[in-house]
Amino acid sequence: MKPGTGKTFRPIGPTTYLSPIPAVMLGCADPENGYEANLITVAWTGVVCTRPPMVSVSIRKSRLSHELIRRTGEFTLNLTGRSLCRAVDFCGVKSGRDVNKFEACGLTPIPAPPLTHAPAVEEAPAYLCCRVKSVQELGSHDLFLAECVAVDVDEKLLDENGKLCLNKAKLIVYSHGDYLALGRKLGSFGYSVRKKKKPIKK
């Protein structure tokens, strides 16, 4: 291992300091117990498998959404753009036990088939329909592992060839207390090893 350049690092203790992370709104419901549609903002979520397509979500046991997902075994993950930033923050600090977040934020709950309970957010640029496969108790949070059984995207995000252009969604991320807008494109997957095209000789 080569010696460093002298750059100084300061230890800050063990903590979850990954950054940035997604800022998504999770939709869930339990009509049989009086909750037609609920939202919670989650940032501790990620991709865990491609075949089958699976994601993970970590939620505190005290949250209403934890209770609803435990009972129904399903939820939606709604991607968020800049226009939804205020709603994202609201849904992260308010409890569904006290307020209807869809109504308070002026958002529209829509069915998310093949799910039977959890709603999606019509104003979202895209959403993932998820069914829980297992729950792991970790400590402060429980980890829900879920399979993505469907994904729906706003048609406006597709180009003339049907390619999904998520840059049009103006997505936001979360970074330790701050919401940030994604910036300019720096490259595409594999660009560091891709061979440069030779100029065509005229």
Side-chain angles (χ1 to χ4, degrees), residues 2-201:
K2 294 181 179 179
T5 61
K7 181 178 179 180
T8 302
F9 288 90
R10 180 178 298 177
I12 61 172
T15 183
T16 52
Y17 227 70
L18 284 177
S19 182
I21 46 183
V24 299
M25 289 191 291
L26 182 152
C28 52
D30 184 8
E32 293 181 2
N33 288 282
Y35 295 101
E36 295 293 336
N38 183 59
L39 287 171
I40 182 175
T41 296
V42 293
W44 292 5
T45 180
V47 175
V48 295
C49 188
T50 53
R51 294 184 182 177
M54 295 184 69
V55 295
S56 66
V57 175
S58 291
I59 304 176
R60 287 185 182 274
K61 295 179 176 68
S62 60
R63 303 297 189 190
L64 171 63
S65 297
H66 181 288
E67 181 183 324
L68 304 187
I69 298 169
R70 268 285 204 179
R71 285 203 292 256
T72 64
E74 61 179 47
F75 59 87
T76 63
L77 289 180
N78 300 267
L79 303 190
T80 58
R82 297 176 195 178
S83 63
L84 288 173
C85 191
R86 191 174 185 85
V88 167
D89 185 65
F90 185 91
C91 292
V93 297
K94 292 291 185 178
S95 172
R97 294 187 177 96
D98 304 321
V99 62
N100 183 316
K101 299 182 192 180
F102 273 99
E103 290 182 359
C105 296
L107 299 176
T108 311
I110 58 174
L115 304 185
T116 56
H117 296 88
V121 178
E122 186 175 36
E123 291 77 10
Y127 58 87
L128 291 69
C129 301
C130 307
R131 285 204 180 110
V132 177
K133 291 298 183 181
S134 66
V135 184
Q136 184 175 353
E137 295 188 11
L138 300 177
S140 62
H141 293 63
D142 281 354
L143 178 71
F144 292 85
L145 289 174
E147 182 176 353
C148 297
V149 293
V151 178
D152 288 79
V153 301
D154 187 338
E155 287 185 344
K156 295 178 182 177
L157 301 180
L158 303 175
D159 66 14
E160 60 276 6
N161 297 315
K163 179 184 176 182
L164 178 60
C165 304
L166 268 180
N167 58 306
K168 295 180 181 179
K170 299 180 180 179
L171 299 177
I172 61 174
V173 294
Y174 185 74
S175 180
H176 296 279
D178 296 319
Y179 304 99
L180 306 174
L182 291 179
R184 64 186 179 89
K185 178 180 175 180
L186 301 177
S188 298
F189 178 75
Y191 84 102
S192 64
V193 296
R194 192 174 297 125
K195 292 182 179 180
K196 293 182 180 180
K197 293 182 179 179
K198 294 182 180 180
I200 299 175
K201 294 182 179 180

